[in-house]
Amino acid sequence: MIKLATVSPCYNEEPVLEDSVKKLTEFFDGLVAKGKISKDSMMVFVNDGSKDQTWDIIRKMHNENHYVKGISLAHNSGHQNAIMAGMMVAKDWADAVITIDADLQDDINAIEQMIDDFEEGYDIVYGVKVSRTADPLLKRMSAEAFYKLQDRMGVKSVFNHADFRLMSKRALEMLAEYDERNLYLRGLIPLIGLPSSTVDDTISERQAGKSKYTLRKMLGLALDGITSFSIKPIYNIIYMGILFLLVCVGIAIYVIHALIAGTAVHGWASLMLSVWFVGGVMLISIGVIGVYIGKIYIEVKHRPLYNIAEILGDEE
């Protein structure tokens, strides 16, 4: 029987939090009755600088529900950093930690299979989405493109897996050794290399509120993942430069032939198009290089990923 902790990052989750705690409490009670988890298991909610009553609700639930523990970050640190904060604190409280978003769109029934796999010796169990019909069409399409882009760019990750996963204490101790500022857990955790498995995860509709992962944030996360784990974009720029060089050689041959044949027509259109095209390519290239330099700039500062202002449940 294991001591389990779920970790849920919370940013303005006031509309769903009480209902989520109720559902998880019923589920935990069922697992305790089955002998799957110990009665001192817990659900840890990480307040990521919410502007609504999220932390007040977590504090209230902590006083009323023995499962509930809370962590309040000093400011909004971002989804990935909030998950990391929760895991690093919870690893000292539990034998295994499951990360799941506070809206419970992930299938909580898959948690039982995660526990079974953990008991069989797997240190990491990924929840893989097998159905996203509850998500809007645009989100489904952008998510598919997100995973395919990562794969093409050489980022090692689990396809259709977000941040619903189980990690053992051993895996979390190893994760703590990765001292990265540009945190992208979906690419970082597979690098640990411990035995892993997957379980099916069917996404359900969000009961209230709205998703915090907008298309802009999804694109930002994809950019973080690619630039933090792959140098393929730089090589692609080199290949593009070689292609342009070959094209230029071809154009030079054509121009020389036209001059000899006396068919060359002077005009500004081709010149202007060339200037704008080459200028655009140069700007894109400089931008990609700038992203990598920016990553180096952030890494060498070694600023903390998060600052914890208060912890509920650390009385022992």
Side-chain angles (χ1 to χ4, degrees):
M1 189 181 300
I2 70 168
K3 186 176 181 181
L4 178 71
T6 59
V7 169
S8 300
C10 302
Y11 178 69
N12 295 344
E13 296 292 355
E14 180 181 349
V16 301
L17 200 52
E18 291 192 21
D19 186 58
S20 294
V21 170
K22 180 181 178 181
K23 289 179 180 178
L24 278 175
T25 299
E26 293 173 355
F27 187 71
F28 269 44
D29 286 341
L31 292 177
V32 171
K34 291 180 181 180
K36 294 280 187 179
I37 62 175
S38 65
K39 61 182 180 180
D40 55 348
S41 295
M42 68 206 74
M43 52 189 81
V44 182
F45 294 95
V46 184
N47 176 43
D48 186 23
S50 298
K51 298 177 181 178
D52 60 4
Q53 300 302 309
T54 294
W55 182 239
D56 292 334
I57 294 174
I58 294 172
R59 189 189 298 277
K60 175 175 175 289
M61 292 292 100
H62 170 67
N63 292 331
E64 298 175 353
N65 189 323
H66 72 280
Y67 289 126
V68 176
K69 295 180 183 289
I71 301 169
S72 184
L73 304 185
H75 57 86
N76 179 251
S77 301
H79 183 263
Q80 297 289 284
N81 291 343
I83 292 176
M84 188 69 167
M87 291 192 299
M88 292 301 101
V89 173
K91 70 180 173 62
D92 296 325
W93 292 343
D95 302 314
V97 173
I98 293 177
T99 53
I100 182 171
D101 286 342
D103 56 20
L104 297 189
Q105 281 192 277
D106 292 300
D107 185 8
I108 62 173
N109 294 310
I111 291 176
E112 188 169 351
Q113 182 60 51
M114 287 181 168
I115 295 170
D116 290 341
D117 285 7
F118 170 75
E119 296 281 12
E120 291 177 10
Y122 293 101
D123 287 279
I124 305 171
V125 185
Y126 301 100
V128 176
K129 297 178 175 64
V130 294
S131 173
R132 305 185 68 119
T133 54
D135 284 337
L137 178 61
L138 179 60
K139 186 172 182 179
R140 293 202 302 270
M141 293 175 61
S142 62
E144 289 287 332
F146 169 77
Y147 291 113
K148 289 178 180 178
L149 178 62
Q150 282 189 121
D151 184 63
R152 291 293 297 273
M153 291 292 105
V155 180
K156 183 181 178 182
S157 63
V158 179
F159 186 77
N160 259 344
H161 161 72
D163 290 299
F164 179 40
R165 70 179 75 85
L166 177 146
M167 295 185 69
S168 68
K169 182 189 288 286
R170 180 170 71 145
L172 290 169
E173 293 287 357
M174 291 182 180
L175 178 62
E177 297 299 318
Y178 287 79
D179 186 26
E180 299 196 17
R181 307 301 96 187
N182 298 289
L183 197 61
Y184 181 65
L185 294 170
R186 301 178 198 183
L188 197 59
I189 290 172
L191 296 179
I192 294 174
L194 291 175
S196 64
S197 66
T198 62
V199 299
D200 292 344
D201 177 24
T202 302
I203 300 299
S204 59
E205 292 185 9
R206 188 180 174 94
Q207 298 303 308
K210 61 181 181 179
S211 174
K212 307 303 183 299
Y213 256 109
T214 61
L215 180 59
R216 183 177 66 84
K217 288 185 177 180
M218 181 71 77
L219 291 173
L221 188 64
L223 184 62
D224 276 343
I226 292 168
T227 55
S228 295
F229 291 89
S230 173
I231 59 172
K232 272 194 174 184
I234 291 179
Y235 282 101
N236 288 340
I237 291 173
I238 295 172
Y239 299 145
M240 190 182 299
I242 294 171
L243 176 62
F244 288 157
L245 180 61
L246 294 174
V247 171
C248 287
V249 170
I251 293 174
I253 293 171
Y254 170 77
V255 169
I256 292 172
H257 176 270
L259 288 172
I260 294 174
T263 59
V265 177
H266 297 284
W268 62 270
S270 58
L271 178 62
M272 292 299 293
L273 287 172
S274 298
V275 170
W276 280 95
F277 181 69
V278 174
V281 172
M282 290 177 64
L283 287 174
I284 292 172
S285 302
I286 293 171
V288 172
I289 295 171
V291 169
Y292 281 94
I293 294 173
K295 296 286 184 182
I296 296 170
Y297 172 73
I298 293 172
E299 288 291 341
V300 298
K301 284 181 175 293
H302 286 284
R303 289 173 176 168
L305 291 172
Y306 50 82
N307 293 308
I308 296 176
E310 185 178 357
I311 295 179
L312 301 176
D314 197 26
E315 295 83 358
E316 62 272 17

